[in-house]
Each structure stands twice: as C-alpha cells, then as structure tokens.
DNA sequence: ATCCGATGTAACTATTATGGTTACTTTGAA
DNA sequence: TTCAAAGTAACCATAATAGTTACATCGGAT
C-alpha cells in the first residue's frame, strides 16, 4: 500500500457505529461494519480491538455481542484514533547502519530522528483539530443518492 | 520498511557532498556517497537523479564525473528535499472501494482526503523550518571519535 | 442448562512498496 | 581514444500490511 489506510478504516468504523446506533439502535457487529468498509470482519475486529484497548470503544461477547462507542464522537479526535492504532513511524533513518567512521554517517541519525519527532508532533497536532463528530457531519453533508442501507 | 528512509538518505547524500567539497574539493561520486550511507551506488544515483530534476544538485558525466550542489545548503530546506523525491502519500483512503450504498461508505473518502491534505501541509511546513545547513551543523556538532574518513 | 451468533486470536497467504543488485549503455574531459 | 562514472532497465530480496481461514471462547437469550 502506498500510504497507511488504517486511520481511514478506523474513522469509517467509528462513524458507522454511531450512525447505526442512531438509525437502528443496538450494537454494531464487525460483519456489518466490514460490509460497509468492504473488507474482512477480522480486519475490523483487529482494528477495533486496539481502539478498545485505548478506551475509545467497548466490545460485548456472547449473545447480543458487538461494538459500542465508549464516549461521544464530539469527545474523540483523529489524534486519539491515530494514537490508539499505534501506527508505524512516518519517517525512518537508514535501514542498515551507515558508515560510522564518516562524520556524516556517525552523526546524522540522531539529527534526523529529532526532525522526525517534530514532524510527528505536527501531524498529531493537526489531527487533534478534527473530531469524529466533524467527520460524521461532513460525511452526511455530502449528498447521497439513496441512503437506504449503511 | 516501517517508515520511509528516503528523506534520511537524501539528507545524508547532500550533507556528504558539501563536506566532501570542503575537505577534498571536487565532485562527489555515487560510489563514495554509497560507501558512507552503506547502500548500493544505484540507490544513490536514483535518489540524486530526482533531486537533480528538482534543481537541488547537478551531475556531470564523462571523466571527472560526479555530483555537486546546485545551491548552498543554507538555501535548501528539508521541505525542498522532501518534495524533490516525491514520496508516496503519508495516509491513504481504502485500498478497495467501500460500499457506496452506505452513507458512510459513500461520503467518507473526500472527507478523509481533505484531512490528509491538511496533515501533509503541516508536515511540509514543519520540514520547511529546517535547512540542510542546520542538519550539517548539528551533525558535525556531535562528537566524532576520529573523523579520518567520510 | 443449552444454544448460538459474535468476539478473540493464531496462523497462514496475497499483495505491494521499497531497497538492493546486476548488467549494460552513454557520456565527455583528460 | 580511453575510461571512470552517470544513467537506466530489469530483476531479486525484504518487509509491511491487508486479507483469509479456522477455531476456541464467551455469555445473554431461550
């Protein structure tokens, strides 16, 4: 994959759970969510499992099993979601050690790591400006031909 | 690879070219640069080729061939380098289309694309604050045991 | 107490991106 | 004319992620 689509799928799942709750009530199952995302239910369960560990959703097992939001979408930002799924770093230093006998090879890694830490924080700060309620509102604002299913 | 290391290798190559120019003069070859980065010369030529297309470096062929900076490192930011190597997007929407009969599936992609465009711009704005001269200065500031080679 | 639909999770395969390698052509100043 | 290095195509290796299958576990409803 070119970029990382996990944040997209996570936002999709969370807003789907909320819309399902509004329209039909009750818990959302990984199978229904996967039907909307167009992926395998296990992919959804893995992703929601990490969000549950971070306190964003709760799961129930046994009969009437499924997923519910742990708090309103207004109180959940894309930063919360991003951090809950613990994505790989956006930038990396050399995959194999550079030549440490060269001043550049010796000193460049910590310098670049510091730069990348600043960039990652800028990413998180930007994601913090967007709540999942914003996402759901903008999604529903786009005209939809039927809106029969979800 | 977890993250993208191309920006690291690009910064390494550019600062190496400058240091080589200061110490030995003349052009830098992809083979010498690759020796410091610890990779294959072709990897370096591919990367510097894209930076040449963006006007950051110049290459010479034939005898006395090699690479030189097109402008001082003071006038080159990590944003310039990042954009010259045209990296893949940091975030992506679903790899396969979501269910378009669902309001979420129908509307979420443009919403997330807009969010990701904001994030990418935040990344570039942060990278713009760091020049390659800053990188070289910080690299050389780290104590190095011998500094015999580079 | 039993049922049964959904979670939880391991293990595997498929796909894709990237880096690394080989081999070869082209260049152009000495 | 030489020759060291750029330029580049084509291929292989590695790693990350998504997708899939299979199955144990759970726990409210009946």
């Amino acid at each position: 994959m070119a970029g990382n689509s996990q944040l997209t799928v996570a936002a999709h799942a969370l807003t789907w759970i909320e819309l399902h709750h509004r329209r039909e009530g009750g818990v959302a199952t990984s199978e229904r969510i996967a039907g909307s995302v167009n992926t395998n239910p296990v992919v959804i369960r893995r992703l929601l499992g990490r969000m549950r560990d971070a306190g964003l959703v709760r799961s129930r097992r046994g009969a009437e099993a499924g997923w519910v939001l742990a708090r309103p979408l207004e109180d959940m930002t894309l930063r919360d979601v991003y951090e809950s799924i613990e994505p790989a770093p956006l930038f990396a230093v050399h995959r194999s050690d550079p030549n440490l006998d060269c001043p550049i090879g010796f000193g460049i890694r910590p310098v670049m790591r510091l730069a990348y830490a600043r960039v990652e924080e800028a990413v998180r700060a930007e994601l913090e400006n967007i709540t999942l309620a914003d996402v759901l509102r903008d999604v529903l604002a786009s005209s939809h031909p039927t809106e029969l299913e979800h």
Side-chain angles (χ1 to χ4, degrees), chain A residues 4-12 47 78-79 81-82 85 127:
Chain A
N4 195 332
S5 67
Q6 288 187 41
L7 185 56
T8 300
V9 175
H12 190 146
L47 202 52
L78 284 178
R79 177 180 187 147
V81 180
Y82 181 68
I85 61 185
L127 291 173

Side-chain angles (χ1 to χ4, degrees), chain A residues 7-113:
Chain A
L7 185 56
T8 300
V9 175
H12 190 146
L14 291 169
T15 52
W16 195 95
I17 292 170
E18 170 64 16
L19 189 63
H20 177 75
H21 180 73
R22 287 186 195 173
R23 297 194 165 182
E24 304 182 28
V27 296
T29 67
S30 63
E31 188 169 356
R32 294 283 311 275
I33 300 169
S36 174
V37 172
N38 188 20
T39 187
N40 193 291
V42 174
V43 173
I44 300 299
R45 291 204 288 272
R46 281 200 290 236
L47 202 52
L48 285 172
R50 281 186 283 169
M51 290 194 265
R52 180 197 53 230
D53 296 342
L56 301 185
V57 297
R58 279 194 286 267
S59 64
R60 283 171 49 189
R61 304 185 65 171
E64 289 294 301
W67 304 83
V68 293
L69 299 177
R71 60 178 192 259
L73 292 187
E74 284 76 15
D75 302 333
M76 215 181 277
T77 70
L78 284 178
R79 177 180 187 147
D80 296 325
V81 180
Y82 181 68
E83 292 179 344
S84 77
I85 61 185
E86 294 176 349
L90 297 174
F91 297 92
V93 295
H94 317 63
R95 58 163 55 178
S96 52
D97 288 356
N99 178 6
L100 301 180
D101 293 327
C102 163
I104 305 292
F106 180 83
I108 197 168
R109 286 183 298 182
V111 173
M112 295 309 293
R113 283 200 193 95

